[in-house]
């Protein structure tokens, strides 16, 4: 039988690179349009997941701000005998300043100490009459640099401080500092746990949602393989779809989060006696928003990639 | 064009769907693969486009041993083979035009060329007025022709059709057969699996008869 093939086949151009990219994007958009409900479901799931996550992130950002303020109160008070003449005082301050970890130093003279003492005991004047400036020692209040406020660094610092000549006693509210520090450690650990667990849950849920979308189109995947599509060709539109879903989900989540934040700062003041703005409650910084956005895209992309693995082994 | 050497295939243990098949189909042939239901016709066709791998033996398509190919090379074999599936496998969410276009999109053709070529082949099949319809709104015969169009639109070297006339009325059968003959005249090697005796017996074409997974007859039809 005659094998006269392909003689009259018309000349046809192949799509260029730009054309291919456009093809894949159009395919992804068409897929989204065609399966609009299931896409909305996926975007909803992604955005809910990201919303919960970014809500935690917002809490963390604000808690970190508050604790930064609190930890400024971690300070060491150094006492010395009598009242030093200005020159000796200067030398002493210089020595302390040269210790690693020293922040701001405030000098509290005997009279300043008495003034503070009186303020604290206001209304109990009978007690105060006995007290003269001589009883109270002068002192230096030393604030520590941020990285020296932890337990270990603190004991290391105080040991060094004790060796400075001229200092008779030091005090640093050990108990309070320790409890504060272990509270913060606990909070960070808890945050890490909850956050880590959340990330896993989110990835799991999103991957499953995407798996459902892809499952609903497994006939299409199969057919593309049968007409000779390469794996990459089959996957790319789905991956683009995942990226678009992730991006949409992230934007939606950030918008919702901002809505919550906005509602909170405008209503909390009237409902409770906590004024969010005065207390420095802030929204997510731009860099964090960018992370959330990129995270959403990655989520959509990886979710699609992982789900596709199950269906494409052409 | 198609060669099978000692090919056996079992879906389950102790039950061979195909046993020790040796077969050679030359370029440009038009072949009927017949036998009762369950004889192994569909299974044999699946071997020819890499839909299944044989348990034993070698399958050569256009000189390539496809049992030895990696999964990333299989798509390139499938581009040479147009398959008309028994269940059509048309995508219900896409129009007739989009369904047929798939074959060419996979090859990376430009949009314009695809449009022209798809329109051309659908017109040949008398479906040009159904271009924007979805498959579920078509009759069985029309769906069959869309499936044919998708298989033939890139002028494949090999065309495989599994029961392409099943469930069709006489007129539709006739037109389907003519379409396949035309593809053969244009150069494609055609293999049709069918249990329809009336279709195969009067055709005077090569006929390979399968029974229980074995070739029991191979006649060139020119009695
Ligand atoms: N996916 C499958 N799993 C198990 N057995 C199968 C499968 N497909 C076909 N078979 C069996 O293989 C044999 C050949 O089937 P098939 O190739 O479909 O025959 P035909 O197309 O000639 O009717 C039959 O006995 C059938 O039951
Ligand atoms: Mg069959």
């Amino acid at each position: 039988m005659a094998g006269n093939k392909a003689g009259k086949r018309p000349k046809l151009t192949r799509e260029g690179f730009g054309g291919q990219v456009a093809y894949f994007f159009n395919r992804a958009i068409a897929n989204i349009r065609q399966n609009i409900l299931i896409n909305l479901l996926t975007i909803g799931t992604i955005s809910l997941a990201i919303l919960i996550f970014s809500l935690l992130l917002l809490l963390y950002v604000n808690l970190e701000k508050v604790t930064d303020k609190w930890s400024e109160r971690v300070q060491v008070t150094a006492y010395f005998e009598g009242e030093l003449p200005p020159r000796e005082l200067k030398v002493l301050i210089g020595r302390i300043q040269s210790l690693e970890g020293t922040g701001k130093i405030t000098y509290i003279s005997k009279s300043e100490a008495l003034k503070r003492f009186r303020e604290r005991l206001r209304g109990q004047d009978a007690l105060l009459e006995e007290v003269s400036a001589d009883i109270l020692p002068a002192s230096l209040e030393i604030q520590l640099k941020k990285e020296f406020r932890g337990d270990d660094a603190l004991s290391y610092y105080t040991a060094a401080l004790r060796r400075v000549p001229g200092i008779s006693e030091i005090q640093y509210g050990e108990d309070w500092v320790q409890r504060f520090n272990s509270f913060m450690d606990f909070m960070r650990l808890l945050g890490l746990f909850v956050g880590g667990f959340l990330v896993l849950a989110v990835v799991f849920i999103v991957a499953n949602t995407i798996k459902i979308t892809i499952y609903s189109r497994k006939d299409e995947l199969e057919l593309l393989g049968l007409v000779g599509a390469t794996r990459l060709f089959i996957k790319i539109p789905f991956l683009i779809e995942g990226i678009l879903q992730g991006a949409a989900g992230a934007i939606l989540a950030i918008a919702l989060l901002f809505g919550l934040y906005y509602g909170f700062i405008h209503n909390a003041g009237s409902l409770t006696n906590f004024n969010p703005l005065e207390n420095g409650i802030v929204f997510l910084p731009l860099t964090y928003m960018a992370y959330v956005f990129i995270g959403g895209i990655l989520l959509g992309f990886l979710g699609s990639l992982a789900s596709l693995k199950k269906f494409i082994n052409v | 064009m198609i060669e099978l050497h000692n090919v056996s295939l079992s879906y389950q243990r102790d039950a061979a769907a195909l046993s020790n098949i040796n077969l050679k189909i030359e370029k440009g042939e038009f072949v009927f693969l017949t036998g009762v239901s369950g004889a192994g016709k569909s299974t044999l066709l699946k071997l020819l486009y890499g839909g299944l791998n044989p348990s034993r033996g070698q399958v050569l398509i256009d000189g390539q041993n496809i049992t030895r190919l990696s999964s990333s090379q299989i798509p390139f074999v499938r581009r040479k083979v147009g398959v008309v599936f028994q269940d059509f496998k048309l995508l219900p969410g896409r129009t007739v035009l989009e369904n047929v276009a798939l074959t060419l999109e996979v090859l990376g053709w430009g949009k314009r060329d695809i449009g022209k070529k798809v329109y051309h082949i659908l017109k040949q099949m008398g479906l040009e007025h159904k271009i924007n319809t979805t498959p579920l709104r078509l009759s069985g015969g029309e769906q069959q022709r869309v499936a044919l169009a998708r298989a033939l639109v890139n002028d494949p070297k090999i065309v495989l059709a599994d029961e392409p006339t099943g469930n069709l009325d006489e007129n539709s059968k006739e037109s389907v057969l003519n379409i396949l003959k035309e593809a053969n005249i244009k150069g494609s090697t055609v293999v049709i699996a069918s249990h329809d005796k009336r279709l195969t017996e009067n055709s005077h074409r090569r006929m390979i008869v399968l029974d229980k997974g074995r070739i029991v007859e191979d006649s060139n039809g020119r009695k």
Side-chain angles (χ1 to χ4, degrees):
Chain A
M1 203 151 287
N4 55 338
K5 75 173 306 263
K8 294 154 285 188
R9 198 184 288 189
K11 261 223 152 68
L12 290 140
T13 54
R14 276 181 63 92
E15 197 80 286
F17 177 74
Q20 279 288 303
V21 171
Y23 169 79
F24 286 130
F25 258 94
N26 289 337
R27 192 68 260 155
I29 305 270
N31 283 347
I32 291 174
R33 280 228 202 110
Q34 239 171 46
N35 305 280
I36 192 75
L37 273 177
I38 208 149
N39 262 278
L40 289 178
L41 177 75
T42 310
I43 292 172
T45 310
I46 290 178
S47 83
L48 193 66
I50 294 178
L51 178 64
I52 295 170
F53 185 76
S54 51
L55 196 63
L56 264 185
L57 195 64
L58 185 60
L59 276 176
Y60 174 79
V61 165
N62 280 291
L63 197 67
E64 197 74 342
K65 259 179 84 98
V66 170
T67 57
D68 258 13
K69 266 198 175 149
W70 278 7
S71 69
E72 276 167 22
R73 296 196 209 162
V74 176
Q75 62 177 23
V76 178
T77 312
Y79 298 95
F80 40 85
E81 301 292 348
E83 191 113 28
L84 292 180
R87 248 193 37 210
E88 280 180 46
L89 187 65
K90 228 176 156 182
V91 171
L92 186 64
I93 289 179
R95 277 190 186 139
I96 295 173
Q97 202 75 69
S98 69
L99 288 178
E100 203 189 353
T102 304
K104 210 175 84 183
I105 301 178
T106 318
Y107 174 60
I108 310 290
S109 66
K110 278 172 179 273
S111 56
E112 177 72 22
L114 183 64
K115 213 171 104 196
R116 284 195 182 181
F117 190 66
R118 287 207 164 122
E119 261 165 35
R120 231 182 270 175
L121 296 180
R122 213 179 313 165
Q124 292 164 284
D125 296 314
L127 255 172
L128 287 173
E129 270 166 33
E130 303 296 316
V131 181
S132 74
D134 264 354
I135 302 178
L136 296 168
S139 63
L140 290 171
E141 284 180 1
I142 306 161
Q143 267 184 11
L144 298 181
K145 286 191 179 143
K146 209 173 166 188
E147 57 278 15
F148 276 79
R149 289 171 196 161
D151 278 347
D152 293 342
L154 193 61
S155 46
Y156 176 79
Y157 183 83
T158 51
L161 188 60
R162 267 182 236 280
R163 286 196 292 271
V164 174
I167 289 176
S168 60
E169 199 193 335
I170 68 171
Q171 227 180 47
Y172 56 97
E174 267 171 290
D175 235 26
W176 180 83
V177 171
Q178 247 168 33
R179 254 183 290 150
F180 176 74
N181 278 333
S182 52
F183 170 72
M184 278 317 293
D185 283 348
F186 173 73
M187 287 305 284
R188 284 197 191 97
L189 200 68
L190 190 74
L192 211 66
F193 257 116
V194 173
F197 180 76
L198 207 67
V199 167
L200 283 182
V202 160
V203 169
F204 180 77
I205 292 170
V206 169
N208 270 295
T209 314
I210 293 178
K211 210 183 290 173
I212 293 170
T213 40
I214 292 181
Y215 185 79
S216 72
R217 304 227 297 271
K218 67 179 195 319
D219 290 347
E220 184 182 331
L221 295 180
E222 188 204 350
L223 181 78
L224 281 169
L226 289 173
V227 297
T230 58
R231 269 185 254 189
L232 201 62
F233 185 92
I234 301 175
K235 280 181 181 181
I236 288 175
F238 282 93
L239 295 176
I240 292 175
E241 200 177 328
I243 288 171
L244 292 177
Q245 287 169 339
I251 290 171
L252 192 62
I254 291 174
L256 284 173
L257 185 69
F258 189 77
L260 287 177
Y261 168 79
Y262 191 84
F264 177 72
I265 58 172
H266 282 85
N267 295 310
S270 58
L271 297 177
T272 64
N273 50 18
F274 175 79
N275 187 325
L277 282 180
E278 275 175 18
N279 282 280
I281 299 293
V282 294
F283 193 61
L284 288 181
L286 211 61
T287 46
Y288 280 56
M289 282 197 258
Y291 291 153
V292 169
F293 185 68
I294 292 167
I297 286 176
L298 270 178
L299 197 62
F301 178 78
L302 293 177
S304 297
L305 195 66
S307 310
L308 281 168
K309 270 222 163 84
K310 297 245 151 82
F311 294 103
I312 300 184
N313 31 25
V314 184
Chain B
M1 186 57 65
I2 299 171
E3 281 180 55
L4 278 75
H5 296 290
N6 304 315
V7 168
S8 296
L9 186 142
S10 340
Y11 290 104
Q12 285 128 8
R13 248 179 267 168
D14 319 321
L18 293 174
S19 354
N20 203 31
I21 303 281
N22 284 289
L23 180 62
K24 194 165 185 176
I25 296 173
E26 301 292 345
K27 187 173 169 186
E29 276 196 80
F30 188 101
V31 180
F32 282 110
L33 190 61
T34 70
V36 295
S37 180
K41 306 181 292 293
S42 299
T43 305
L44 183 60
L45 287 193
K46 281 177 191 160
L47 287 175
L48 303 185
Y49 62 85
L52 284 173
N53 268 324
S55 314
R56 229 175 309 135
Q58 312 298 327
V59 178
L60 274 72
I61 299 295
D62 196 20
Q64 261 181 312
N65 187 339
I66 65 168
T67 50
R68 298 242 176 94
L69 290 183
S70 72
S71 58
S72 62
Q73 290 171 297
I74 289 292
F76 299 96
V77 174
R78 289 184 178 165
R79 292 173 189 189
K80 299 180 194 171
V81 185
V83 186
V84 183
F85 302 97
Q86 189 166 7
D87 56 353
F88 309 151
K89 294 194 194 297
L90 299 174
L91 299 180
R94 303 206 190 170
T95 64
V96 165
L97 182 115
E98 288 167 339
N99 267 283
V100 177
L102 272 178
T103 309
L104 299 178
E105 286 173 358
V106 159
L107 297 174
W109 280 29
K111 213 172 167 181
R112 279 245 210 102
D113 293 332
I114 291 179
K116 271 192 236 160
K117 178 84 183 177
V118 171
Y119 182 78
H120 183 70
I121 194 162
L122 285 172
K123 197 170 170 199
Q124 275 185 332
M125 303 204 176
L127 284 172
E128 70 269 30
H129 57 295
K130 301 280 185 178
I131 266 182
N132 292 315
T133 314
T134 52
L136 291 180
R137 299 195 181 178
L138 300 177
S139 71
E142 288 167 333
Q143 290 185 25
Q144 183 63 273
R145 276 179 283 156
V146 177
L148 277 161
R150 190 185 58 200
L152 300 176
V153 70
N154 64 332
D155 302 314
K157 290 189 170 180
I158 297 172
V159 175
L160 308 174
D162 197 353
E163 308 285 356
T165 57
N167 298 321
L168 295 188
D169 60 63
E170 290 303 321
N171 280 341
S172 298
K173 277 185 194 181
E174 189 71 28
S175 92
V176 163
L177 212 55
N178 283 335
I179 289 166
L180 287 167
K181 282 176 183 166
E182 213 164 296
N184 180 241
I185 289 167
K186 282 205 277 177
S188 298
T189 305
V190 176
V191 182
I192 300 172
S194 175
H195 67 266
D196 186 347
K197 283 226 169 74
R198 268 194 295 167
L199 183 75
T200 55
E201 270 170 0
N202 307 318
S203 68
H204 308 293
R205 302 281 188 164
R206 179 174 172 191
M207 199 160 77
I208 299 166
V209 186
L210 280 177
D211 187 37
K212 292 180 186 137
R214 292 172 191 279
I215 295 179
V216 293
E217 193 188 327
D218 188 347
S219 61
N220 68 9
R222 297 185 196 106
K223 285 165 194 173

